[in-house]
Amino acid sequence: CTDGHEGADLTIDAAGFAATSQVAVYATRPSGRMVQVGLPYGNPPIPMSLVASREITIVGSHGFDAQDLPDLLELIATNDDEGKIMDPCQLVEREVTLEEGCKA
């Protein structure tokens, strides 16, 4: 979804590797936003001159710690009398193709 500009309006690095953090910055269009979700090991080199020249906004987002994942998966797998206690499918309103995503 670039509206004719080079790069994506929004990039998300959910992997947290140095290479994926860097690629996310390079893939972000001028005045775009890059969200760092994955927790990188150490301090990956980010091309700050590119961030500044393209006026890219970098946002950090931390959802949960990895040690909480087994408890979350247990909740998803557990059923009560009315069905699943936590059903992640209920979080999805609709699915769209990549082409439709720009219009959504």
Side-chain angles (χ1 to χ4, degrees):
C1 303
T2 62
D3 298 332
H5 294 92
E6 183 177 327
D9 296 330
L10 171 69
T11 57
I12 300 171
D13 174 23
F17 296 103
T20 56
S21 297
Q22 291 171 350
V23 168
V25 170
Y26 282 111
T28 305
R29 69 176 259 178
S31 298
R33 179 177 292 195
M34 182 265 203
V35 179
Q36 184 67 50
V37 178
L39 295 176
Y41 178 77
N43 294 307
I46 300 297
M48 293 310 290
S49 60
L50 186 64
V51 171
S53 66
R54 288 190 181 176
E55 298 179 333
I56 295 171
T57 300
I58 298 178
V59 177
S61 176
H62 184 261
F64 62 89
D65 292 320
Q67 66 260 16
D68 295 332
L69 191 55
D71 291 337
L72 175 63
L73 294 175
E74 179 68 27
L75 283 173
I76 291 170
T78 303
N79 292 307
D80 63 9
D81 294 336
E82 298 176 16
K84 289 193 177 289
I85 291 177
M86 179 182 286
D87 185 0
C89 294
Q90 292 181 0
L91 300 173
V92 178
E93 182 177 310
R94 64 186 172 120
E95 294 182 28
V96 297
T97 65
L98 288 176
E99 292 78 23
E100 296 169 322
C102 290
K103 300 172 190 168

